[in-house]
Amino acid sequence: MHTQTYTATHLGDAPVVIDIKGLNKWYGQFHVLKDINMQVRKQEKVVICGPSGSGKSTLIRTINRLEEHQEGVITVEGTPLTNDVRHIERIRREVGMVFQQFNLFPHLTILENVTAGPIHVRKMPRKEAEAIAYTYLERVGIGEQARKFPGQLSGGQQQRVAIARALAMQPKVMLFDEPTSALDPEMIKEVLDVMRELADQGMTMICVTHEMGFAREVADTMVFMDKGQIVEYATAEEFFTAPREERCRMFLDQILNH
Amino acid sequence: MTEHSAPPRVPFWRSPTGRAWAFQAVMLGSFLWLAVSMYRNTLENLKTRGIGSGFGFLHSEAGFRIGEATGIPLPQGGFLYFLISLAVGLFLSRILARHLKARNEAPLETGWFGLCLLLSIGLPTATLYIFRDSVEIAHYTESSSYIMALATGLANTLKVAVIGCVASTFLGLFIALGRLSPNWLLSRLCRWYVELNRNLPVLMQLFFWYFVVFQELPGVKQSIDLGGWIILNKRGLFLPGLVPQQGAWLFVAALITALCGCWLVLRRAKRMRDETGEPGKRLVPCLLLMLGLPSLAWLAGGTPFLLDFPVLKGFNYSGGMGLTPEFTALVVGLTVYVSAFNAEIIRSGIEAVSRGQREAARALAMNERQVMRIVILPQAMRVIVPPMTSEYLAIAKNSSLAVAIGYPEFVSVGGTILNQSGQAVEIVGIWMGVYLCISLCISFAMNMYNARIALVER
Amino acid sequence: MVHDIPDRLPPAATVGVWGWIRANLLCPWYNALLTAGSLYLIWRAVVPFWNWAVVNASISLDPAVAKQHSGAAWGFLREMWPVFMTGIYPAEERWRPLLALCLVLVMVGLTLLRPLRRATWLRAAWLATHLLVFAIIRGGGFTGLPAVGTHYWGGLMLTILLASVAMIAAFPISILLALGRTSNMPIARPFCVAYIELIRGVPLITILFMASVVLPLFLPSNMELDKLLRAMVGITMFFSAYLAENIRGGLQGLSRGQYEAADALGMSYWQKIRVVILPQALRIVIPPMVNNFIGILKDTSLVGIVGLVDLLQIAFATTSNPKWFGRLEEAYVFIAFWYWVLCFGLSSYSQHLERKIPSAGK
């Protein structure tokens, strides 16, 4: 049974950057992603939400092959995602990821964290990589902490460094896996500000988050997932004013009115 | 205006510090009383049994055979100059490095680093070469003193300990990698290897290797012969030996210089990679150095070494390098035993690095080698090094079990001296003192390394 | 209205037995090589052992018959296993160690029964059990049983006895050492540090030699120390240093808040230690303590070097008997079995504990 392919028709002719066809994933016998058909266009901001266990993190992790899928085809920037290592590495160069737990390298300085990708993967000379690193560190507001170690920074500062680290690879798409869920409330704003600015500058973003205020402002497309399948796919305006699905309405009620 | 009044004087027996002092005074007093009475008893007992005391007996003649008499370089003449030049070279290069680092933060330029290498390695090597004729290596004989016997025993202990540490680290690394491999069968095999070795006493394993394996080897006439290179029989393991000739010193000096040169080449390649993104030439210069310099030394100085193959003469093999069954059993037994612990340490070190680190590195498109080298291993080393150092200490201490299979290491030789001279207190004191020195040295080195690589946190 | 997509089963090639074999043993290609290599190793190691232990073995009690088989002579173990268990304890008195063992097992069973675990009489009962065990095995004096001197004790009984006594005796010493080391009393602290570092830096064999040879010199000449007692003193001293470091780890793992809360309640030093600090500290370090105990169990094998006949030495003692001369391999298999079962069992228990006990909050 094929579901329709979800695509942002409201963005007109923008080229498709990520194309997911018939994606099915199992953990052992457990069917965790069911028949996902979705397209993400250039400069589109997609926000995926849903109850826990709905498979939203799993979905974006399959895009850069942190999780393997058993059925279906994922194509990123024209490169199909298979077991071929070269394809995987090519895709990972173009797709940046920010994790919930930041995952900064604690034994390297902030600067070394950000230059690790450009130097070792893009094979840049150190000076050039450091220049790029400083640019992005300034953009996220952490320029003066470059010589410190991650253990010396607060959670919000660390997550901003993680964003800079992903940006330093100059990716075409940025994936965010619940970037503010591990932060204390007073630090959430600084990270969301950085993400907002990124969106304004035209980055293609796929974001899994519970921050509905942010989503309302920034998202082009809202995706609601439940039990492994896409239940609601709509523009941000439609989603927040008149969601079609009952489950989605209930979820929004809970999230927005607690 | 408030008046400050002095705090009320508390009676001595009610204040916490007073109590602590009272307790310690009692402790000290009873300890002293115990020490004095033990001392008195000891003197009396020694007198009744006619045993001498003091360390003078160490100069008396030993009169017993030691099966493996490792040569010991005497601290005089060439060897002494070598030690002095080593100390001076290390000291000078450290001062130079520190001075340069203070001036600019970057790592040392190749040229300056080369100078430091020259000072710390080149200078001692050159000194040793110049004074090579005055280096004396003493071997123990039956008429040597007890001190010489103990020194030989210590040399044997260190020999076993160093070989054991190196071999068990490599073996442990292999087993750990096997354990971490995705192949289920290999992983299980390695796990059972570890469980088997960790749960059996080391003495039992030594006995197993010595009595069950090595005594069951064929006799000399039916030795297991691997192409004339490795010969295994009841009398031991025989390997071809290297006999130094005319050109040996020059060859070794050239080899050391070539190694230092390779180190410099690698450093320079890394700097070039930093500056331009492309690594500098590494393979060709290193090959040239490692093959070229020693060849030049061979031409200039004559044949450096001759291979001496063991030859069957009568009832035994002679020539070559013969390793006794005691030595082989001890080294093999200790290596296998400790490798199980090392494998666990390495494995848990690598697994201690959280999954998120690996995922973040993979998300940056690093390949598997880069992930290991840049992210996983540096963090794993911090977890691995402290327990690994205790394992190295354990090898040094467990080598003392050789007394049970008759290998003449430090405790074994000391035991013989104890039986002969009866001066138990002094011998036990020497044992403890020497092992304590070894332990303290290793702990000190480990603490320094730990302090340097500690993760910087708030 | 979006319909729920029904759950499906995953594609066949990725699951099931075949899928598992493919994933874990065969793909990618180097995995298949490793599998082949491992199977070869197993073949080379296991098959000869199987031949020796089962195919060519004999269980006859007659040594002549056993010699005709090229494999193991299990008759040797059938005949000699009591010697492995209790050493040269007189055969007609062997019921006594057995009784002591049953007593201990009963106590262990009672302790593991949850409802009884908190009972205060349990601790008194344990103390009484220890004394009773000694009394039963030793005999003599007021028990009315014939005395069996310590030089008759040996085998597995001696190994377990040494390890347990060392553990029990070392405990109070280690607690004092750990408290001393973490305090800031200027005399006690260096003393504790010196003791711990000295003992941990030297091999056990030197401490055993010290206890056997040097200790008698320290005592007045009319005091004669039993050989077993000297070994026990040596092992206890050795163990106490390592245990003290474990306990110190526990003490330092507790947050300062615990000490401060106890002080705020007005507790004295010893009350604080006994009621608040020690129970928590000890609970945290039970897994490393069990590991240490396993180490001591293995290290008791060294007492053979100072003349006691423990489980390892029994192998030599029994195989030098002309009747079953040279049957070292069978003896080793038996001994290895017991050591392995005890140590592996204890380490499994400690891993089980590690999962159950939450680590200290910081």
Side-chain angles (χ1 to χ4, degrees):
Chain A
M1 172 169 121
H2 253 331
T3 50
Q4 60 176 114
T5 300
Y6 293 106
T7 186
T9 43
H10 53 277
L11 285 182
D13 281 331
V16 171
V17 172
I18 297 182
D19 189 7
I20 303 177
K21 284 205 195 41
L23 176 64
N24 278 285
K25 178 177 165 60
W26 286 264
Y27 277 136
Q29 305 280 25
F30 179 51
H31 198 171
V32 75
L33 286 178
K34 298 179 185 170
D35 238 4
I36 309 278
N37 288 287
M38 198 170 104
Q39 286 178 340
V40 177
R41 296 182 187 256
K42 198 168 156 94
Q43 302 208 349
E44 183 179 351
K45 334 263 182 263
V46 180
V47 170
I48 307 181
C49 61
S52 68
S54 54
K56 26 189 222 300
S57 286
T58 315
L59 176 58
I60 67 169
R61 284 157 65 94
T62 51
I63 296 179
N64 69 350
R65 202 65 171 181
L66 287 179
E67 302 277 355
E68 285 182 13
H69 59 276
Q70 283 81 26
E71 252 185 42
V73 180
I74 303 182
T75 313
V76 177
E77 283 268 313
T79 312
L81 192 54
T82 60
N83 269 331
D84 188 341
V85 169
R86 282 170 310 172
H87 290 173
I88 298 178
E89 287 183 0
R90 197 186 308 163
I91 289 178
R92 282 179 177 162
R93 281 199 281 269
E94 306 304 332
V95 174
M97 180 146 190
V98 176
F99 297 86
Q100 182 178 357
Q101 300 294 342
F102 335 135
N103 288 335
L104 290 180
F105 306 135
H107 59 293
L108 302 175
T109 60
I110 301 300
L111 188 62
E112 287 168 349
N113 262 278
V114 179
T115 55
I119 288 181
H120 296 282
V121 178
R122 291 213 188 269
K123 310 268 189 235
M124 280 185 199
R126 181 173 287 271
K127 291 278 190 311
E128 203 183 310
E130 287 185 358
I132 293 184
Y134 271 115
T135 321
Y136 285 108
L137 284 174
E138 309 270 331
R139 251 175 82 175
V140 303
I142 297 269
E144 70 281 3
Q145 316 274 19
R147 298 278 174 197
K148 292 207 181 154
F149 285 88
Q152 296 172 289
L153 300 186
S154 73
Q157 289 172 319
Q158 289 188 45
Q159 190 65 297
R160 284 189 275 152
V161 171
I163 298 178
R165 178 175 67 175
L167 287 176
M169 291 288 284
Q170 293 164 318
K172 306 275 194 326
V173 181
M174 281 287 277
L175 304 175
F176 292 87
D177 187 1
E178 305 212 33
T180 54
S181 298
L183 295 176
D184 291 334
E186 65 268 17
M187 296 192 249
I188 295 183
K189 178 177 184 306
E190 64 194 60
V191 174
L192 289 181
D193 283 342
V194 168
M195 289 167 68
R196 212 166 279 140
E197 208 193 299
L198 205 57
D200 286 339
Q201 284 161 358
M203 173 67 78
T204 316
M205 287 163 60
I206 307 181
C207 202
V208 174
T209 184
H210 294 293
E211 297 291 326
M212 290 297 135
F214 166 80
R216 207 163 191 159
E217 260 185 63
V218 163
D220 291 321
T221 312
M222 292 294 300
V223 176
F224 176 75
M225 282 181 71
D226 188 22
K227 299 208 189 79
Q229 57 181 102
I230 295 181
V231 170
E232 177 105 22
Y233 182 101
T235 62
E237 208 185 300
E238 281 169 29
F239 188 85
F240 284 104
T241 48
R244 284 191 294 258
E245 288 294 320
E246 176 64 33
R247 281 180 280 184
C248 188
R249 268 197 292 270
M250 280 171 44
F251 176 75
L252 276 181
D253 266 338
Q254 280 177 329
I255 281 250
L256 292 177
N257 300 331
H258 64 258
Chain B
M1 185 177 89
T2 45
E3 260 190 40
H4 294 282
S5 51
R9 302 270 330 254
V10 179
F12 167 79
W13 61 88
R14 290 225 297 265
S15 72
T17 34
R19 282 217 178 131
W21 275 108
F23 173 73
Q24 286 178 89
V26 166
M27 201 188 89
L28 194 60
S30 45
F31 182 66
L32 283 176
W33 173 83
L34 205 66
V36 165
S37 56
M38 285 199 325
Y39 185 67
R40 284 231 213 99
N41 285 332
T42 313
L43 283 184
E44 203 186 295
N45 285 324
L46 288 179
K47 203 151 60 145
T48 14
R49 299 175 202 200
I51 304 175
S53 60
F55 287 95
F57 77 105
L58 287 174
H59 293 286
S60 25
E61 186 178 304
F64 59 89
R65 280 194 66 235
I66 290 184
E68 315 211 16
T70 316
I72 300 176
L74 291 178
Q76 63 200 48
F79 191 64
L80 186 63
Y81 301 144
F82 167 73
L83 287 177
I84 293 178
S85 66
L86 187 66
V88 165
L90 282 173
F91 184 65
L92 282 179
S93 72
R94 201 171 146 75
I95 292 194
L96 184 64
R98 216 188 276 170
H99 178 73
L100 286 171
K101 278 242 174 85
R103 276 210 295 170
N104 57 337
E105 282 236 349
L108 291 177
E109 305 257 336
T110 314
W112 287 114
F113 187 75
L115 185 58
C116 286
L117 272 186
L118 195 68
L119 280 175
S120 49
I121 298 182
L123 184 65
T125 314
T127 317
L128 192 57
Y129 181 68
I130 294 173
F131 291 102
R132 64 189 181 282
D133 292 324
S134 60
V135 171
E136 278 181 48
I137 297 189
H139 288 267
Y140 172 84
T141 61
E142 280 180 34
S143 53
S144 310
S145 65
Y146 279 145
I147 294 186
M148 189 62 195
L150 285 173
T152 310
L154 186 57
N156 284 339
T157 298
L158 292 175
K159 203 163 71 167
V160 169
V162 169
I163 298 179
C165 287
V166 172
S168 69
T169 308
F170 278 111
L171 188 57
L173 187 61
F174 275 129
I175 307 280
L177 290 177
R179 180 87 195 263
L180 290 170
S181 90
N183 185 317
W184 179 88
L185 197 58
L186 186 62
S187 169
R188 279 284 173 275
L189 258 187
C190 291
R191 173 155 184 243
W192 284 111
Y193 172 92
V194 167
E195 288 302 336
L196 191 67
N197 276 301
R198 286 208 312 180
N199 291 313
L200 294 177
V202 57
L203 189 59
M204 180 179 165
Q205 295 192 32
L206 284 181
F207 282 156
F208 168 75
W209 286 104
Y210 186 60
F211 288 114
V212 175
V213 175
F214 279 90
Q215 304 290 50
E216 298 301 315
L217 285 176
V220 175
K221 295 281 177 10
Q222 298 93 19
S223 312
I224 304 175
D225 190 329
L226 286 151
W229 282 77
I230 301 180
I231 299 176
L232 204 58
N233 59 42
K234 238 195 206 5
R235 296 293 199 100
L237 177 67
F238 295 90
L239 302 167
L242 288 173
V243 181
Q245 304 287 308
Q246 270 283 55
W249 285 105
L250 197 59
F251 188 81
V252 171
L255 203 62
I256 295 180
T257 317
L259 281 171
C260 293
C262 281
W263 192 351
L264 286 172
V265 166
L266 289 173
R267 260 185 89 95
R268 187 155 176 281
K270 186 156 178 274
R271 292 214 69 187
M272 288 193 58
R273 201 267 313 277
D274 276 352
E275 271 160 30
T276 64
E278 281 300 315
K281 301 211 188 314
R282 278 178 302 186
L283 192 58
V284 172
C286 278
L287 270 181
L288 240 95
L289 276 173
M290 291 299 292
L291 293 176
L293 276 180
S295 313
L296 282 176
W298 194 314
L299 287 172
T303 328
F305 294 104
L306 276 183
L307 274 180
D308 184 17
F309 285 93
V311 165
L312 182 56
K313 275 207 183 97
F315 285 114
N316 201 357
Y317 280 85
S318 67
M321 187 163 61
L323 302 171
T324 59
E326 288 83 18
F327 176 78
T328 326
L330 187 61
V331 170
V332 171
L334 278 181
T335 302
V336 167
Y337 179 70
V338 178
S339 70
F341 290 90
N342 282 349
E344 276 303 284
I345 292 173
I346 295 176
R347 180 189 69 95
S348 56
I350 293 184
E351 287 187 352
V353 182
S354 73
R355 269 190 67 204
Q357 291 290 304
R358 174 181 282 271
E359 290 190 344
R362 293 302 243 144
L364 285 174
M366 290 188 187
N367 62 35
E368 192 61 45
R369 264 188 49 210
Q370 287 172 325
V371 170
M372 263 294 171
R373 183 169 57 91
I374 299 169
V375 176
I376 306 278
L377 279 184
Q379 296 188 57
M381 284 303 277
R382 286 167 172 80
V383 182
I384 288 176
V385 167
M388 194 69 117
T389 321
S390 327
E391 288 307 321
Y392 289 159
L393 273 176
I395 294 186
K397 291 191 283 180
N398 276 331
S399 66
S400 60
L401 293 177
V403 66
I405 59 174
Y407 177 72
E409 49 76 57
F410 194 57
V411 170
S412 193
V413 167
T416 315
I417 299 181
L418 197 155
N419 282 331
Q420 272 194 350
S421 70
Q423 301 205 238
V425 181
E426 287 81 1
I427 292 290
V428 172
I430 294 177
W431 275 339
M432 293 193 162
V434 167
Y435 275 110
L436 205 56
C437 280
I438 299 178
S439 302
L440 286 178
C441 286
I442 298 185
S443 300
F444 183 68
M446 187 258 282
N447 283 335
M448 271 196 349
Y449 179 74
N450 255 354
R452 264 188 58 186
I453 65 168
L455 288 178
V456 181
E457 291 183 357
R458 282 214 218 230
Chain C
M1 198 21 224
V2 173
H3 297 283
D4 266 351
I5 302 177
D7 282 343
R8 265 197 293 139
L9 284 180
T14 60
V15 284
V17 177
W18 177 237
W20 181 90
I21 292 183
R22 269 192 71 200
N24 288 311
L25 294 178
L26 296 178
C27 313
W29 61 273
Y30 55 79
N31 246 357
L33 237 95
L34 285 176
T35 309
S38 311
L39 285 173
Y40 176 69
L41 264 178
I42 296 179
W43 173 264
R44 289 298 300 237
V46 172
V47 168
F49 180 74
W50 182 258
N51 283 340
W52 174 83
V54 178
V55 175
N56 297 328
S58 92
I59 54 173
S60 150
L61 284 171
D62 180 0
V65 172
K67 277 215 183 80
Q68 291 166 2
H69 295 254
S70 63
W74 297 123
F76 164 62
L77 286 178
R78 277 176 68 192
E79 192 186 322
M80 299 292 256
W81 71 269
V83 181
F84 280 89
M85 293 292 117
T86 54
I88 46 179
Y89 209 86
E92 61 279 6
E93 304 289 334
R94 283 212 183 107
W95 58 271
R96 283 158 56 184
L98 192 60
L99 176 63
L101 179 66
C102 291
L103 200 59
V104 169
L105 286 177
V106 163
M107 286 302 296
V108 168
L110 282 180
T111 316
L112 288 178
L113 276 180
R114 209 168 284 243
L116 293 175
R117 201 177 294 181
R118 288 300 189 120
T120 35
W121 58 260
L122 204 66
R123 302 188 193 172
W126 265 111
L127 202 59
T129 313
H130 295 129
L131 298 172
L132 231 99
V133 162
F134 255 112
I136 293 178
I137 299 185
R138 180 81 168 73
F142 61 88
T143 57
L145 298 162
V148 179
T150 58
H151 45 275
Y152 286 106
W153 304 5
L156 185 60
M157 174 182 86
L158 186 64
T159 297
I160 297 184
L161 209 61
L162 279 170
S164 317
V165 167
M167 180 95 188
I168 296 164
F171 220 85
I173 304 177
S174 305
I175 293 179
L176 289 176
L177 282 172
L179 289 174
R181 185 159 181 181
T182 50
S183 75
N184 37 25
M185 294 193 277
I187 299 184
R189 185 179 168 158
F191 175 74
C192 294
V193 173
Y195 177 88
I196 293 177
E197 292 303 325
L198 176 68
I199 304 260
R200 275 163 51 101
V202 297
L204 176 57
I205 194 77
T206 51
I207 299 198
L208 281 179
F209 269 127
M210 187 196 79
S212 306
V213 179
V214 171
L215 201 60
L217 294 177
F218 289 161
L219 299 169
S221 38
N222 48 7
M223 251 179 91
E224 175 69 43
L225 267 189
D226 198 65
K227 206 157 55 158
L228 180 61
L229 198 56
R230 285 182 246 166
M232 277 185 183
V233 168
I235 298 188
T236 304
M237 278 179 65
F238 187 71
F239 195 35
S240 63
Y242 285 84
L243 202 55
E245 282 296 278
N246 278 348
I247 299 181
R248 181 171 80 105
L251 288 174
Q252 290 181 327
L254 277 186
S255 56
R256 277 201 53 101
Q258 295 294 314
Y259 292 87
E260 290 174 353
D263 282 336
L265 284 173
M267 289 188 173
S268 76
Y269 179 75
W270 289 107
Q271 277 179 330
K272 176 170 65 178
I273 295 292
R274 195 168 46 87
V275 176
V276 176
I277 306 297
L278 268 189
Q280 295 188 60
L282 290 179
R283 276 194 73 211
I284 302 172
V285 295
I286 287 185
M289 284 210 292
V290 174
N291 276 332
N292 243 331
F293 183 64
I294 297 174
I296 287 293
L297 200 61
K298 293 189 294 180
D299 286 339
T300 53
S301 55
L302 267 70
V303 298
I305 302 184
V306 290
L308 291 173
V309 186
D310 74 312
L311 185 58
L312 187 55
Q313 289 299 114
I314 287 284
F316 296 105
T318 49
T319 56
S320 52
N321 184 334
K323 183 174 176 196
W324 291 103
F325 187 74
R327 291 289 177 187
L328 263 184
E329 291 92 357
E330 289 85 342
Y332 272 152
V333 167
F334 192 61
I335 296 175
F337 171 75
W338 278 109
Y339 271 122
W340 197 86
V341 160
L342 284 173
C343 295
F344 188 68
L346 280 172
S347 86
S348 303
Y349 181 60
S350 113
Q351 280 171 8
H352 168 77
L353 283 178
E354 251 176 276
R355 278 192 287 267
K356 274 179 57 182
I357 294 181
S359 50
K362 289 235 177 266

